[in-house]
Amino acid sequence: MKATAVAPANIAFIKYWGKKDEALRLPLNSSLSMNLSGAYTTTTVEFPPNLLEDDIHMYSAPPRTKIQLPLKFGASKAIGSSEREKISHHLDRIRQKAKIWYKARVATINNFPSSAGLASSASGFAALTMAASEAFKLKLSEKELTVLARLGSGSACRSIPDGFVEWREGSSSGSSFAYSLLPSSYWKLCDVIAIVQNTPKDVSTSDGMSSIKTSPYWKGRINKIPDKIDRIKKALLEKNFQSLGEILEEDCLDMHRVLQTQNPPLYYWNDATIKIMENVRGWRKSGMPVYFTIDAGPNVHLICEAKDEKTLIEKVRNIFGVLEIISNKPAQGTKLSKKHLF
Ligand code: PMV
């Protein structure tokens, strides 16, 4: 009763912000994303028959760190009670499906800073869902796994399928699922993430989303989403980079307009975020096609084609306030692994 899964983070080109059903975690809008090759979570879950409570260990290991297996549990990051509760609550959903009530031992490693708006909850809940379902031999389909992962954290459903993924908002739990629109090999795009803050943010996405309707702009954005999804799918199918970039930047700014006009307002950007956005406009003027998108955090995702990746990284490196760069290609979805963490 032990399994390990590796799940990528994903970057939303059309973003999820706001729920129409809190308990079922049904989103107000469909969203579309790309899985990221350089930011992922590895999770091992075991259900030993003798545990009295869930035993959860979290680690953060920067890229290229050699991890000694099996893990020594003493060195894990202390995790807060609300994080622990969310994980145990999600395990309950999976125990309920299996009708087995064993407590779990869980170890999870992110290769990137956790909770800094880098979708650690997406890769985290995708990996947890697949590893725990496999440990119980539940034999769920990909669609069922996306529905289950969504209940843990909305955007997690988009980290399960391969490559470029759409999450259909749906009107019931079973109809709110994610599927692969195009495989990771379809288009050599890059997401160069400029990390300008690597500590946890003050307001979680769940808390932030719950006041969406205090913004006068939320409805306008939601009404525009079906058209944006059609346009971005067309841009993907035609490999029209300029159109893709313009739409994803438009939706990023539309979402942040909503965040910044909520009550209380949410300003996730810092000086470096704004500097990078200004630079992007300048780089485009001087002939380099690059577009930005930003989740609920200050870090900036710079989307370019593979041919421009190296030049872009050099330019980003020179911006004051950039602490770290993670460069990503489109990645496959969540996969099982035989390399258990313990
Ligand atoms: O799934 P959550 O609760 O972490 O929310 C993700 C929200 C955004 O990252 C801002 C947008 C998105 O679609 O990923």
Side-chain angles (χ1 to χ4, degrees), residues 12 14-17 121 153-156 158 205-206 209 255 295-296:
I14 303 295
K15 298 186 186 295
Y16 147 56
W17 191 256
S121 67
S153 172
S155 57
R158 296 190 313 239
T205 48
S206 278
M209 265 182 215
M255 182 188 81
D295 280 341

Side-chain angles (χ1 to χ4, degrees), residues 40-279:
Y40 51 86
T41 301
T42 305
T43 299
T44 298
V45 179
E46 184 179 24
F47 292 100
N50 52 354
L51 273 187
L52 295 178
E53 55 179 47
D54 291 326
D55 182 24
I56 303 163
H57 304 264
M58 263 189 181
Y59 305 79
S60 174
R64 292 176 295 279
T65 316
K66 186 110 188 78
I67 296 161
Q68 294 287 345
L69 297 181
L71 287 174
K72 291 192 183 50
F73 285 144
S76 80
K77 174 174 106 79
I79 56 171
S81 55
S82 75
E83 229 168 339
R84 202 175 286 278
E85 250 169 52
K86 269 178 85 176
I87 294 172
S88 279
H89 187 43
H90 195 57
L91 288 166
D92 286 342
R93 294 185 181 108
I94 300 166
R95 285 187 271 253
Q96 175 77 48
K97 272 200 183 293
K99 307 252 176 304
I100 301 175
W101 300 102
Y102 291 172
K103 298 294 182 189
R105 177 161 293 126
V106 178
T108 181
I109 299 188
N110 288 335
N111 77 331
F112 57 95
S114 308
S115 316
L118 277 192
S120 59
S121 67
S123 53
F125 277 96
L128 181 70
T129 304
M130 189 177 279
S133 306
E134 177 65 20
F136 277 146
K137 298 273 172 294
L138 279 177
K139 301 272 170 272
L140 302 179
S141 66
E142 180 182 276
K143 182 176 171 184
E144 288 168 321
L145 283 168
T146 72
V147 168
L148 193 51
R150 188 203 78 230
L151 292 163
S153 172
S155 57
C157 69
R158 296 190 313 239
S159 287
I160 301 260
D162 187 22
F164 299 87
V165 177
E166 181 180 5
W167 169 15
R168 293 228 173 108
E169 60 178 274
S171 53
S172 59
S173 195
S175 60
S176 187
F177 65 95
Y179 70 99
S180 174
L181 207 56
L182 291 160
S184 52
S185 56
Y186 173 72
W187 194 354
K188 288 193 171 65
L189 291 180
C190 278
D191 173 7
V192 174
I193 312 176
I195 301 200
V196 297
Q197 182 186 304
N198 51 17
T199 49
K201 55 196 174 205
D202 298 337
V203 184
S204 71
T205 48
S206 278
D207 288 346
M209 265 182 215
S210 61
S211 22
I212 180 178
K213 291 190 178 167
T214 57
S215 163
Y217 298 113
W218 77 270
K219 222 178 211 161
R221 172 173 181 267
I222 297 296
N223 290 339
K224 273 165 62 183
I225 296 281
D227 174 59
K228 270 193 214 160
I229 298 242
D230 287 350
R231 285 192 288 135
I232 206 157
K233 278 185 183 165
K234 186 163 179 280
L236 275 170
L237 289 173
E238 291 172 353
K239 292 194 178 161
N240 181 338
F241 185 68
Q242 182 180 341
S243 171
L244 178 91
E246 284 173 2
I247 302 164
L248 67 87
E249 214 172 271
E250 176 191 330
D251 190 56
C252 161
L253 293 173
D254 280 355
M255 182 188 81
H256 281 273
R257 186 172 306 116
V258 173
L259 297 185
Q260 292 169 0
T261 51
Q262 288 183 190
N263 185 11
L266 285 174
Y267 292 102
Y268 283 113
W269 304 343
N270 66 21
D271 290 352
T273 315
I274 293 166
K275 189 86 218 144
I276 297 169
M277 290 157 78
E278 279 168 14
N279 272 288

